[in-house]
Amino acid sequence: MLILLPPSETKSRPAADAAPLDLAQLALPELGVARRTMVRAAIRTAAGKDAAIRLGVPASAPELVDRMAGLEHEPAASPLAVYSGVLYDQLPPDTAVPTDRRVLVQSALLGVVDAATDRIPAYRLSAGSSVSRLGTAASWWAPRLRGVGAALLAEQVTSPAPLVIDGRSGSYRSMMRLRSTPEVPVLEVAPVQERAGVRKVISHDAKRYRGIVTRELLSADRAPEDPRELVSLLQERLAAVPGVAGSPLTVELDGDRLVIVDRVT
């Protein structure tokens, strides 16, 4: 089973004595040239007069510009240790990725990173960042990730659990679009809030629900083999997870959407 996640704007900087980013050691080596190009462009952007605006650096953390300018020397660590924020807060610090599951995280800096094997720095770059000479990060990556997305789907065909759980946000889905095939369902995690029988899409807090789904899928004894088994597994596990009003979360399958329902009275 493949789980796709978005990155987070907030990141925890690895220990200062940790080894820096080594592009040659990252998974999906076919992205090597594109990664080097984007890293150079990000460093170039950080050296510009409008670096803070282009990189989205808040006024309260101007040091992030200098860290991006020295990106090649920044300490690196596991993506699950670096990414923080609402989604990743749902994952225990010792979260491991079982061998029958794979977690890939979309990255505006590196395209795609493997949560189990890669090491990344606490970079400041988002899908909407305007990067020196390359334009918007998401638009630049899209054609370069098209082949990667196709290859990932092809790999899933022969997997014992040929499912893709897509927990990415819209801006990162646009970087690498994946659609269901007859052999491999691609299911978007779609949280909704239900009140008096009326449902509305959860947008502000959607990452929390996607983090919960990821946590439950990684902590299960084994990966579900098809959508029906997936829904059954999550129904059982989410019955112990309260929503905002205390009612257990429930899950439904609506076409290619894995709907997480939070009922509010």
Side-chain angles (χ1 to χ4, degrees):
M1 179 174 67
L2 173 62
I3 301 173
L4 297 173
L5 297 178
S8 61
E9 291 295 324
T10 55
K11 301 175 183 69
S12 299
R13 192 184 191 192
D17 61 351
L21 171 68
D22 184 349
L23 292 175
Q25 296 301 313
L26 295 179
L28 302 172
E30 62 268 33
L31 291 176
V33 172
R35 286 166 171 158
R36 288 192 293 274
T37 299
M38 180 56 78
V39 167
R40 287 196 299 266
I43 293 171
R44 193 165 58 240
T45 302
K49 293 181 180 179
D50 56 351
I53 295 174
R54 282 181 172 239
L55 298 174
V57 172
S60 59
E63 71 278 3
L64 294 179
V65 173
D66 291 336
R67 282 165 49 184
M68 284 297 290
L71 187 61
E72 292 175 307
H73 307 291
E74 276 291 297
S78 162
L80 294 183
V82 172
Y83 292 124
S84 56
V86 177
L87 189 156
Y88 293 91
D89 287 348
Q90 306 307 314
L91 306 179
D94 59 349
T95 294
V97 180
T99 55
D100 62 347
R101 276 147 277 190
R102 189 181 192 186
V103 178
L104 297 181
V105 185
Q106 204 82 67
S107 167
L109 180 68
L110 301 168
V112 184
V113 295
D114 191 307
T117 62
D118 287 345
R119 297 171 60 260
I120 65 171
Y123 63 91
R124 182 72 186 193
L125 196 73
S126 66
S129 294
S130 177
V131 186
S132 174
R133 303 179 192 173
L134 301 186
T136 304
S139 298
W140 187 85
W141 274 114
R144 292 161 179 84
L145 292 176
R146 195 171 296 125
V148 172
L152 290 173
L153 284 179
E155 288 175 12
Q156 285 301 113
V157 172
T158 58
S159 167
L163 285 172
V164 177
I165 311 303
D166 194 345
R168 299 173 297 168
S169 54
S171 58
Y172 286 97
R173 286 200 302 273
S174 71
M175 283 175 61
M176 186 176 73
R177 296 190 182 278
L178 295 183
R179 302 186 188 281
S180 291
T181 68
E183 299 86 6
V184 182
V186 178
L187 305 178
E188 176 192 348
V189 181
V192 299
Q193 187 178 90
E194 181 178 303
R195 186 189 299 269
V198 178
R199 293 182 176 182
K200 67 175 183 179
V201 174
I202 296 173
S203 54
H204 175 69
D205 204 27
K207 291 181 180 179
R208 184 174 75 87
Y209 296 88
R210 291 166 180 153
I212 291 170
V213 168
T214 301
R215 180 189 69 208
E216 299 304 325
L217 290 176
L218 292 181
S219 59
D221 291 337
R222 65 182 183 85
E225 296 181 3
D226 55 49
R228 181 172 298 190
E229 188 177 339
L230 170 70
V231 170
S232 177
L233 181 148
L234 287 175
Q235 283 283 27
E236 179 181 347
R237 299 184 71 91
L238 294 182
V241 180
V244 295
S247 299
L249 299 176
T250 61
V251 59
E252 302 170 1
L253 195 60
D254 179 15
D256 289 338
R257 297 169 67 243
L258 186 67
V259 182
I260 310 302
V261 183
D262 189 350
R263 290 185 171 85
V264 179
T265 55

